[in-house]
Amino acid sequence: MIDHARDLVSVREATDRLLTAAAKLDNASVAEPSRLPGWTRGHVLAHLARNADALVNVLEGRPMYVSGTARDADIERDAPRPLDVQLADVRESAARFQETGAAPADWSRTVELRNGVTDAAARVPFRRWVEVELHHVDLGIGYELEDLPAEFVERETDFLAERFTGHPDVPPTRLTDGTRAWSTGREEDAAEVTVRGPAPDLLGWLAGRRDGSGLSVEGGPLPALPPL
């Protein structure tokens, strides 16, 4: 059972962590490259602000973005702004998201995200939590996958393993951190490949944040995952 109210609290806490950490930057470091190819830290912060507003659109029944082109243009427009403007935008857009999430609503309803993807409204706060946590790591300012809350790591690993389940280009794969196990890839009677490693490394590989060098593989090479 998805607890959207509890997830909204987790979003707020994650946003506070990110804002506290980012406040130690300066204008020059905001313009430096992030860990995402082609994006500065300013791009990451701009994306986080615009994503909050986009998810407000989703919860209020509007298209998430006017278009993919408009989404990209908004990020490019906002990326060069000075630190104080970036932080204010992230803070204010996050507050708008929290306000929308606190309004009475049918959380069992289906909503539409980008590219025709649909989901339960109740999962939208978790999706926002994913954005905040992973992009905090992407900023490259000392917050690592190992610093992520354990609940988040397990739930996002669940989510990504499910996302790749049934994908024809991913062999049947068993994932394990030594305590928990997940299955993903093509659905067959038995896994072809077993991937083992620490939970942060498994999540990093699934989320495209690590190359899998911290993982061990049995039964074949480390599967190549399609982009998210």
Side-chain angles (χ1 to χ4, degrees), residues 4 8 59 96-105 107:
H4 73 275
L8 283 166
L59 291 176
R96 290 191 290 271
F97 178 75
Q98 290 287 335
E99 181 180 3
T100 302
W107 287 94

Side-chain angles (χ1 to χ4, degrees), residues 195-196 201 204-205 209-217 222:
V195 179
R196 304 177 186 274
D201 280 313
W205 172 62
R209 265 66 181 184
R210 288 189 179 167
D211 62 8
S213 58
L215 303 171
S216 63
V217 189
L222 184 69

Side-chain angles (χ1 to χ4, degrees), residues 160-162 164-166 170-175 182-186 206:
L160 292 173
E162 181 181 347
F164 294 125
T165 295
V170 180
T173 302
R174 179 177 181 268
L175 313 171
W182 299 264
S183 295
T184 194
R186 293 192 303 272
L206 289 168

Side-chain angles (χ1 to χ4, degrees), residues 82-128:
L83 177 64
D84 60 339
V85 177
Q86 296 278 17
L87 296 182
D89 194 14
V90 172
R91 185 179 300 108
E92 291 163 9
S93 59
R96 290 191 290 271
F97 178 75
Q98 290 287 335
E99 181 180 3
T100 302
D106 173 12
W107 287 94
S108 67
R109 73 193 187 279
T110 298
V111 295
E112 184 170 344
L113 295 111
R114 293 182 67 198
N115 303 320
V117 173
T118 60
D119 205 347
R123 203 198 288 263
V124 171
F126 177 70
R127 286 179 175 270
R128 176 61 182 174

Side-chain angles (χ1 to χ4, degrees), residues 107-212:
W107 287 94
S108 67
R109 73 193 187 279
T110 298
V111 295
E112 184 170 344
L113 295 111
R114 293 182 67 198
N115 303 320
V117 173
T118 60
D119 205 347
R123 203 198 288 263
V124 171
F126 177 70
R127 286 179 175 270
R128 176 61 182 174
W129 190 12
V130 172
E131 293 287 329
V132 177
E133 292 285 15
L134 292 185
H135 286 316
H136 190 168
V137 174
D138 294 335
L139 286 171
I141 55 176
Y143 191 69
E144 303 296 340
L145 294 169
E146 286 76 11
D147 299 314
L148 295 169
E151 177 194 353
F152 173 83
V153 172
E154 182 170 358
R155 287 179 62 188
E156 178 64 350
T157 301
D158 288 344
F159 180 80
L160 292 173
E162 181 181 347
R163 179 166 181 168
F164 294 125
T165 295
H167 197 289
D169 296 332
V170 180
T173 302
R174 179 177 181 268
L175 313 171
T176 181
D177 62 0
T179 301
R180 296 154 299 185
W182 299 264
S183 295
T184 194
R186 293 192 303 272
E187 295 177 329
E188 297 181 13
D189 292 338
E192 293 180 4
V193 178
T194 297
V195 179
R196 304 177 186 274
D201 280 313
L202 285 172
L203 174 57
W205 172 62
L206 289 168
R209 265 66 181 184
R210 288 189 179 167
D211 62 8

